[in-house]
Amino acid sequence: MRSILRTDPLVRDVAALCAAAMVVGLSFGAIASAAGVPLSKIIAMNALVYAGGAQFLAVGLIGAGATAAAIVLAGLLLNARHLPFGLAIGNEVLGRRRILGSHLMTDESVAFALAQDDPARRRRAYWLTGISLYLTWNFSAAVGAIAGSALGDPDVFGIDAAFPAALLALTLPSLKERAAVRVAVAGAALALAATPFLPAGLPVLVALLALPLARKK
């Protein structure tokens, strides 16, 4: 295994990516379990939804008592970036396995594929990254959920603060430009202002009104 990691940079990079994804998956499983989501539903969500950040968002909205419609709409909006992703890789990468390939689509699998020079390497990078991350996420999130359920009352350990902390950790790497910071600050302000007046889950959608601030001045 070590020889493969040394001779194939792609395998090495995917292995490092999976190590990081395992930590996030463990966190998600523990947070979802602490929020009261049953283990069976966590496993089903991991296998069938497989949406990373959207799953964190869904668990937070579930804990806040949001409606199913608000949760679904928020998840769809968060993952709307997959539409241009699909156009970017197209038939060249997915081929006839379009349905399965779409389910395995993540920011990382698309980025690794587009970083390659020729179509064959793009396909290999996409499928290697997609399958590896899918298996890692499902395994680690299940382990995290089992561990989280063993903790008992989450309030005793302060796990109720874990969701916003995890979501903040996922967001911070994206705040490298002034436009992103403007949108994040304005969106947070709008959501906070709307919270006393709207049902749980809807203030997050109100934050989308800050998106026009992403335009460069």
Side-chain angles (χ1 to χ4, degrees), residues 38-81:
L39 177 61
S40 59
K41 292 186 178 180
I42 295 175
I43 293 176
M45 183 187 295
N46 293 332
L48 301 177
V49 177
Y50 182 53
Q55 289 183 236
F56 273 101
L57 178 61
V59 168
L61 294 177
I62 290 172
T67 63
I71 294 172
V72 171
L73 180 57
L76 289 175
L77 291 173
L78 185 60
N79 283 330
R81 67 189 188 282

Side-chain angles (χ1 to χ4, degrees), residues 8 20 71 77 80 96 99 113 126 145 163 168 173-174 180 200-202 212-213:
D8 194 329
I71 294 172
L77 291 173
R96 296 180 179 178
I99 295 178
Y126 183 87
F163 168 73
L168 180 61
S174 301
L202 293 184
L213 295 177

